[in-house]
Amino acid sequence: RVELKTSDLTEDSNAIQKANDFLKAFMAGFEVQDSIALMRLEDIYVETFEVKDVKTLAGDHLARCIGRIAGEKGKTKNAIE
């Protein structure tokens, strides 16, 4: 569990939201530098979903589905990042 707070020294009114975006990206597997970029750029955000929420899959079928989303050698995943 992580608790985010501002202080009297916080100048940016969006600091909590930026910190939340950073943590979500980092915990989703993005590199630290990419997660930091989210805080600096206003027009970029991270949206995630669970494959199981879209389609009921298990075992090899789930792994195959995730592999197809990631693309050959992770090309699609890297392009998104």
Side-chain angles (χ1 to χ4, degrees):
R1 180 176 173 182
V2 176
E3 184 174 330
L4 302 172
K5 293 183 179 182
T6 60
S7 73
D8 296 336
L9 302 175
T10 304
E11 296 177 7
D12 187 353
S13 62
N14 294 322
I16 294 287
Q17 183 60 50
K18 288 180 178 182
N20 183 53
D21 292 345
F22 169 82
L23 289 173
K24 283 173 71 175
F26 183 72
M27 292 185 337
F30 284 81
E31 296 290 330
V32 173
Q33 300 297 15
D34 294 333
S35 300
I36 290 171
L38 285 173
M39 294 191 308
R40 294 190 178 134
L41 302 171
E42 297 292 326
D43 298 339
I44 296 179
Y45 62 95
V46 172
E47 189 68 37
T48 61
F49 67 94
E50 290 288 329
V51 173
K52 292 178 185 178
D53 292 343
V54 179
K55 177 85 173 150
T56 305
L57 298 169
D60 290 341
H61 298 294
L62 179 61
R64 189 177 313 112
C65 178
I66 292 170
R68 287 181 176 158
I69 292 169
E72 184 181 352
K73 297 182 182 178
K75 288 180 185 177
T76 304
K77 176 184 171 274
N78 291 332
I80 292 169
E81 289 179 347

